[in-house]
Amino acid sequence: MIKTAILGYGTIGSGAAEVLEINKKAIAERVGEEISLKYILDRKDVSGDKREALVTTDFEKIVNDDEVKIVIETMGGTGAAYTFVKAALEAGKSVATSNKALVAKYGTELMEIAKAKNASFLYEASVGGGIPIIRPLYDALCADEVEEISGIMNGTTNFILTKMAKEGSDFSEVLKEAQSLGFAEADPTDDVEGYDAGRKISILTSIVSGKQVNFEGVHMEGITKITAEDMKYALVLDRAIKLVATSKKTDKGYYAVVSPVMLPDSHPLYPVNGVFNAIFVKGNVLGDSMFYGSGAGMLPTASAVIADVVNIAKNLGKHIPYDWSKEELKLLNYEDMTRKFFVRASGEVKEREKEITELFGDVAFVEAAGIKGEFGFVTEEMSEKDFAGKYDKLNNKITRIRLG
Ligand code: HSE
């Protein structure tokens, strides 16, 4: 019997305990022996919980127990979670985590410790929740050079944008609704400002490049400035506004960006709605592929965490090399990326056409029914830097959104 401990008995931690219980028999058959839960580390009052007897507040008890071979970290954050995971790995235990902040910030160090100890540090649930993406990148796609990863990697913002598009409501209104339904955190900053997606794309870029990416270097813009009017223009253009995290390989290196993007209806990410996530991967030999599913939530995320536990259990005493090197990957400046842009400006097209074409060159003007006193236009492809210079000079502008 292989013994485990869960650190953090919140949504994902209790889901992990549940998955171990629900699929106990199938997991035992796959591993060749049973996986059981010996401890749960948590400070909250769990009186009456069916696993009350396993709960402890003493991490030392777990780290010093040689029977515990696998630690499941579902606490979140980079404080105690980092201290405990590091100590567990140093004690020779393997770790499965759902914590993207931990992986983005300390992944490189934790992988190195795991390797030195012939243990493993696995993190499938840290990106895309229950969607398999990390293992496919390491294993199934190991014959490819991955040229692009573009994903809807945040369920909260996708839920908000989908509702805004369907109901014509404003960001703040839908955010409140998402919070009351439990889809958005009380403090939604990480999600709505794009930091959560930024951590996820930095992890995926580290995997495909084989080098450490500092998440702070990813250019991140969130969805707080997207309005009901923007959605109306998107509809006229047969596009959907999505928060897209992209990593692109070029001859010079990698770009990594998170921002709202207007996607055409031909794009595979266009129909991904609600809390669902999807990750589009383009390989140089595979071509296009897409991974779609539940990017968050108790059981889907726990499914990925326990899949890592099973993988570790089958490889006890060995290091599973889902690692990248400690060499830093300097991301290319996103300002050199090229694309088309959608712009909204005040006034009438006929009065401003000359000024706008002089500034931006050929553009396609757009008007949306019911929106008065303004218009939109789509530029030709240009670099972010060129666009920013022109946009800066534009009078009476309202907003701009990238095209995908
Ligand atoms: N807050 C995240 C989301 C949870 O909304 O997708 C999963 O990482």
Side-chain angles (χ1 to χ4, degrees):
M1 186 178 295
I2 298 169
K3 303 259 164 99
T4 65
I6 290 176
L7 313 183
Y9 197 46
T11 308
I12 313 302
S14 52
E18 211 51 41
V19 174
L20 280 177
E21 205 170 296
I22 301 169
N23 289 341
K24 188 176 181 162
K25 199 163 159 275
I27 290 170
E29 277 166 16
R30 283 163 201 164
V31 175
E33 61 185 303
E34 201 178 299
I35 297 184
S36 79
L37 184 58
K38 186 162 182 185
Y39 303 104
I40 293 170
L41 183 80
D42 208 293
R43 282 211 201 98
K44 67 174 160 292
D45 181 10
V46 290
S47 315
D49 186 281
K50 64 178 172 181
R51 301 186 188 94
E52 190 181 348
L54 306 181
V55 177
T56 174
T57 54
D58 184 6
F59 175 70
E60 291 304 310
K61 207 154 110 183
I62 297 171
V63 79
N64 292 323
D65 186 335
D66 286 342
E67 264 195 345
V68 175
K69 303 289 183 215
I70 305 170
V71 168
I72 299 163
E73 188 276 308
T74 49
M75 300 169 70
T78 52
Y82 168 64
T83 312
F84 292 161
V85 166
K86 190 172 171 181
L89 290 169
E90 277 169 344
K93 302 180 193 309
S94 287
V95 173
T97 182
S98 58
N99 185 344
K100 61 246 162 178
L102 180 75
V103 182
K105 191 162 180 196
Y106 295 113
T108 315
E109 181 193 0
L110 298 170
M111 287 162 189
E112 288 210 320
I113 302 172
K115 190 173 179 184
K117 295 285 177 184
N118 281 328
S120 297
F121 175 72
L122 299 190
Y123 47 96
E124 180 62 65
S126 67
V127 181
I131 307 172
I133 182 65
I134 288 167
R135 208 188 300 192
L137 285 176
Y138 276 114
D139 292 338
L141 298 179
C142 65
D144 268 75
E145 280 281 357
V146 173
E147 295 173 336
E148 180 185 340
I149 300 177
S150 283
I152 294 174
M153 302 187 193
N154 184 270
T156 305
T157 48
N158 206 42
F159 172 84
I160 294 173
L161 292 173
T162 304
K163 276 228 145 199
M164 285 174 71
K166 280 206 178 119
E167 294 170 7
S169 22
D170 259 315
F171 169 77
S172 51
E173 214 177 294
V174 184
L175 173 61
K176 274 194 207 115
E177 193 187 335
Q179 283 171 319
S180 69
L181 289 170
F183 290 136
E185 305 277 346
D187 177 359
T189 314
D190 270 9
D191 293 317
V192 299
E193 296 295 354
Y195 307 147
D196 177 78
R199 290 190 181 98
K200 292 168 177 169
I201 199 68
S202 83
I203 293 171
L204 298 184
T205 310
S206 294
I207 293 172
V208 295
S209 69
K211 294 178 186 168
Q212 180 199 333
V213 173
N214 284 335
F215 127 85
E216 291 88 353
V218 177
H219 178 76
M220 293 173 278
E221 290 178 28
I223 64 162
T224 54
K225 294 190 187 114
I226 301 294
T227 64
E229 287 74 27
D230 296 333
M231 292 294 179
K232 287 188 183 148
Y233 282 103
L235 201 65
V236 175
L237 292 164
D238 289 326
R239 287 175 179 266
I241 303 174
K242 300 287 181 189
L243 184 70
V244 179
T246 295
S247 166
K248 268 200 177 132
K249 184 173 189 265
T250 71
D251 295 344
K252 296 194 187 94
Y254 286 84
Y255 292 106
V257 180
V258 176
S259 86
V261 172
M262 276 188 176
L263 296 175
D265 57 4
S266 55
H267 196 286
L269 294 174
Y270 174 92
V272 177
N273 285 324
V275 289
F276 280 93
N277 280 199
I279 302 162
F280 165 82
V281 179
K282 188 185 181 75
N284 68 335
V285 282
L286 167 77
D288 298 349
S289 62
M290 195 155 94
F291 300 81
Y292 172 85
S294 298
M298 180 168 119
L299 289 177
T301 310
S303 148
V305 175
I306 299 304
D308 278 348
V309 170
V310 169
N311 196 7
I312 292 169
K314 286 171 157 176
N315 289 282
L316 276 184
K318 277 190 257 166
H319 173 67
I320 302 168
Y322 290 177
D323 303 340
W324 53 75
S325 91
K326 64 179 177 201
E327 186 186 338
E328 188 188 334
L329 177 77
K330 284 250 178 278
L331 292 169
L332 298 173
N333 186 346
Y334 85 98
E335 292 181 328
D336 294 325
M337 288 179 91
T338 60
R339 58 166 94 228
K340 292 182 176 182
F341 295 83
F342 165 75
V343 180
R344 279 171 58 202
S346 306
E348 300 289 328
V349 175
K350 57 181 185 302
E351 288 160 5
R352 301 200 59 193
E353 189 172 356
K354 190 164 172 287
E355 168 204 346
I356 284 167
T357 47
E358 271 173 13
L359 190 53
F360 288 93
D362 279 347
V363 299
F365 288 100
V366 198
E367 283 176 298
I371 303 185
K372 298 220 174 340
E374 64 162 90
F375 60 93
F377 62 91
V378 175
T379 70
E380 291 292 289
E381 188 159 322
M382 60 183 77
S383 73
E384 291 267 354
K385 203 187 292 160
D386 279 354
F387 173 78
K390 294 175 197 297
Y391 186 69
D392 198 41
K393 287 189 199 130
L394 177 68
N395 295 315
N396 302 318
K397 54 194 171 250
I398 300 172
T399 193
R400 96 289 186 257
I401 301 172
R402 295 176 175 88
L403 257 65

